[in-house]
């Protein structure tokens, strides 16, 4: 069975009795360190738009915010 949904808003508890497998498995989500991350900073991405890990290693002279910029394969829409 295939169910295609363009948009879905759930305003109650949603229970899934199984695994959720996302269609975005391209792994093209990226992250790049910004100047505020400090000299020699690095970051890596493992995952996709739905789930994963961004690992940040700050460098010398790092700031307190804005260390990494993340780019997703598909744009996230701001909740209305």
């Amino acid at each position: 069975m295939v169910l295609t949904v363009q948009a879905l808003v759930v305003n109650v508890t949603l229970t899934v009795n199984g695994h959720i497998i996302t269609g975005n498995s391209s792994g093209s989500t990226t992250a790049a360190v910004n100047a505020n991350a400090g000299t020699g900073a690095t970051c890596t991405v493992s995952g996709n738009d739905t789930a994963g890990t961004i690992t940040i290693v700050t460098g010398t002279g790092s700031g307190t915010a804005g260390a990494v910029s993340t780019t997703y394969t598909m744009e996230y829409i701001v909740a209305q």
Side-chain angles (χ1 to χ4, degrees):
M1 177 174 82
V2 174
L3 173 66
T4 302
V5 179
Q6 294 291 331
L8 174 66
V9 175
V10 178
N11 292 320
V12 296
T13 301
L14 175 65
T15 302
V16 177
N17 291 323
H19 296 272
I20 297 175
I21 301 171
T22 66
N24 173 11
S25 60
S26 65
S28 57
T29 301
T30 61
V33 293
N34 297 324
N36 205 32
T39 303
T42 61
C43 69
T44 57
V45 175
S46 173
N48 57 39
D49 285 11
T50 305
T53 303
I54 299 173
T55 303
I56 306 165
V57 178
T58 57
T60 304
S62 61
T64 58
V68 174
S69 295
T70 306
T71 303
Y72 297 98
T73 302
M74 296 188 67
E75 177 180 347
Y76 277 87
I77 300 171
V78 176
Q80 308 257 341

